[in-house]
């Protein structure tokens, strides 16, 4: 899959600008490093970036996932009207989040989705719009390979993520016990099935 060609779109709402989801690129590293200074964000994500060099490494990991076909990570940016050519990150608007599809078993029936929202963009509907776009793309792209179920995991005390999951049609299916060092708190497992 040509990672540079994949661009997803979510419409504007009364609360926020239209969104574009596109693969991460090295030019995102400085802004990504700044966003990761947010303590609320650092609390909920597993892979924290401490500086610009760490952000560059993180972006490379995301790019490697596209090449290997097991992790499809998107930078979520505010879409600018009249921006430059597709695929030019300099033409994109401000970075507002991250969305990812993880498919370690590429021909398996299930995959995992995840997301986060930048501190300055919380409350503007970024997460549900990005998750809806990612969900549609995942089923459209991988249903032919057997994908029929998307799963979303979060800590039980992350009530905002729970609301986003439910708003996007991901039903709560299980309570998961903590797994020390990897998932230190009890969790919720949400799932959404391929529409029939």
């Amino acid at each position: 899959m040509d990672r540079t060609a994949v661009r997803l779109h979510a419409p504007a709402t009364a609360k926020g600008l239209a969104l574009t989801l596109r693969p991460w690129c090295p030019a995102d590293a400085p802004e990504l490093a700044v966003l990761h200074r947010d303590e609320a964000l650092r609390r909920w994500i597993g892979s924290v970036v401490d500086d610009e060099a760490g952000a560059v490494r993180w972006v490379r990991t995301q790019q490697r996932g596209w090449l290997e076909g097991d992790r499809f990570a998107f930078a979520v940016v505010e879409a600018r009207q009249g921006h430059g050519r597709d695929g030019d990150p300099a033409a994109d608007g401000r970075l507002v989040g991250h969305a990812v599809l993880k498919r370690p078993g590429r021909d398996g029936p299930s995959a995992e989705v995840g997301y986060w929202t930048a501190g300055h963009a919380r409350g503007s509907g970024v997460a549900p719009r990005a998750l809806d776009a990612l969900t549609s793309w995942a089923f459209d792209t991988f249903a032919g390979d057997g994908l029929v179920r998307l799963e979303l995991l979060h800590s039980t005390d992350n009530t905002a993520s729970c609301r986003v999951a439910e708003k996007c049609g991901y039903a709560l299916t299980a309570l998961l016990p903590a797994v020390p060092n990897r998932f230190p708190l009890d969790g919720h497992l949400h799932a959404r099935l391929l529409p029939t």
Side-chain angles (χ1 to χ4, degrees):
M1 179 180 304
D2 178 8
R3 69 172 192 81
T4 60
V6 179
R7 291 177 78 85
L8 313 179
H9 302 281
T13 65
K15 287 182 165 184
L17 297 173
L19 303 174
T20 298
L21 285 71
R22 53 131 175 101
W24 287 91
C25 65
D28 295 318
E31 193 174 0
L32 178 65
V34 170
L35 295 181
H36 271 247
R37 293 180 191 151
D38 174 26
E39 287 303 319
L41 176 62
R42 293 170 75 90
R43 176 179 178 201
W44 300 119
I45 60 177
S47 181
V48 175
V49 168
D50 290 318
D51 54 26
E52 195 169 325
V56 169
R57 286 190 298 274
W58 186 88
V59 168
R60 284 185 188 140
T61 298
Q62 306 319 304
Q63 291 176 323
R64 193 167 39 254
W66 279 90
L67 292 173
E68 294 173 1
D70 61 2
R71 182 181 178 90
F72 304 94
F74 293 89
V76 181
V77 296
E78 292 175 332
R80 281 191 189 157
Q81 284 192 332
H83 66 74
R85 68 186 189 282
D86 275 355
D88 178 6
D92 290 331
R94 184 165 60 160
L95 183 59
V96 292
H98 166 74
V100 62
L101 172 71
K102 304 171 198 173
R103 287 203 78 206
R106 287 181 240 172
D107 294 328
S110 65
E112 183 183 344
V113 294
Y115 51 86
W116 53 256
T117 302
H120 63 80
R122 288 189 197 115
S124 61
V126 167
R129 291 185 291 143
L131 181 58
D132 275 340
L134 179 68
T135 299
S136 295
W137 176 78
F139 283 137
D140 290 347
T141 304
F142 298 108
D145 295 335
L147 181 67
V148 296
R149 176 184 168 99
L150 292 174
E151 297 180 341
L152 188 156
L153 304 159
H154 66 82
S155 298
T156 54
D157 60 345
N158 190 341
T159 56
S161 256
C162 206
R163 285 192 305 271
V164 168
E166 291 171 349
K167 184 175 185 174
C168 293
Y170 283 77
L172 178 61
T173 60
L175 297 175
L176 304 174
V179 178
N181 297 331
R182 211 176 112 227
F183 208 73
L185 301 172
D186 290 347
H188 282 171
L189 171 64
H190 294 261
R192 182 165 164 181
L193 300 178
L194 177 69
T196 54

